[in-house]
Amino acid sequence: MIKFENVTKKYPNGFVGLKNINLEIEQGEFVAIIGLSGAGKSTLIRTINRMHDVTGGKLTVDDVDVMSLQGKALRQFRRKIGMIFQSFNLITRTTVIKNVLTAFVPEIPWYRAAFGIFTKEEKLKAMECLDKVGILDKSFVRTDQLSGGQQQRIALARTLAQNPQIILADEPVAALDPVTATQVMDDFKRINKDMNISVLINIHHVDLALKYADRVIGIRAGEIVYDGPSANVTDEVLDRIYKGKSEGVKA
Ligand code: ADP
């Protein structure tokens, strides 16, 4: 379970990105985080794997205080949490499977990583993950020959190869056309349901959030203004999240 207790995030320049956040997210939930640009969606999910440090309150994952983690414990903790970005973050000049195999780099000896030597088990695991997102047939194709949607699936397969308990996705479909975006959201949903992996997605598209997520969290100026089932997101709720300009919104 991910638990925020009165969490605050103050950036070094004094800007308060998150104010008094209280949340409990159970294992296996599919949560969409929506809000205006600059509302604090990214900040919220990036505190969960310590890409950002929280500066007040307490954040725990399975009762472990995230801010107490250091060195090896922090690295091991981060292995449990997959991160997906808008920009895929792939090595485009190499094959699809080599991108997925990079998931193993943090846990293999340096010389294997340096020479790109992977075991049969690692290769099979990478192929299994590519199969889960429907692009096994592209394993040996160069990454830059694939579409944006297929590249996001490679990123998803790479994340699955680390056996995550949680996937954090920061605007994963923002760079995709509507049809491809839906396909990638289908992948997230299937992975969430079949593997019981918690999925937290920051998303601009309210329609996709409502269609795919079980739960929606609406953020405005660093504060939660809605937290509940996607089915209960009414126009009044959307007004609360989006209407006017919130404090701290990017121009
Ligand atoms: P969102 O994901 O909802 O677009 P962010 O979480 O990226 O919003 O940003 C929330 C607010 O925090 C924004 O106003 C942004 O300008 C500010 N912010 C983000 N990163 C920093 C930083 N490193 N230093 C100061 N302010 C930041």
Side-chain angles (χ1 to χ4, degrees), residues 159-205:
T159 294
L160 289 178
Q162 70 185 63
N163 286 328
Q165 177 185 334
I166 301 166
I167 294 180
L168 306 174
D170 202 354
E171 297 286 359
V173 297
L176 306 178
D177 66 76
V179 175
T180 315
T182 305
Q183 290 165 353
V184 171
M185 291 300 285
D186 283 334
D187 287 335
F188 277 110
K189 188 78 180 174
R190 202 176 53 252
I191 285 161
N192 165 254
K193 292 289 165 249
D194 292 355
M195 303 170 79
N196 198 39
I197 297 173
S198 307
V199 174
L200 274 74
I201 295 193
N202 283 350
I203 190 157
H204 261 94
H205 310 72

Side-chain angles (χ1 to χ4, degrees), residues 46-63:
R46 287 168 190 232
T47 58
I48 297 169
N49 66 350
R50 271 281 290 282
M51 277 177 84
H52 287 324
D53 289 347
V54 302
T55 50
K58 191 171 176 189
L59 169 60
T60 56
V61 175
D62 294 340
D63 296 323

Side-chain angles (χ1 to χ4, degrees), residues 11-13 15-17 35-44 52 170-171 202 204 247-250:
Y11 282 108
N13 68 356
F15 184 86
V16 181
L36 288 160
S37 184
K41 304 181 294 297
S42 258
T43 307
L44 181 79
H52 287 324
D170 202 354
E171 297 286 359
N202 283 350
H204 261 94
E247 180 194 328
V249 169
K250 288 169 197 156

Side-chain angles (χ1 to χ4, degrees), residues 1-4 23-27 29 59-64 165-166 198:
M1 183 206 276
I2 304 166
K3 191 170 181 183
F4 287 74
L23 270 182
E24 284 185 13
I25 297 168
E26 302 283 352
Q27 185 58 39
E29 284 196 68
L59 169 60
T60 56
V61 175
D62 294 340
D63 296 323
V64 172
Q165 177 185 334
I166 301 166
S198 307

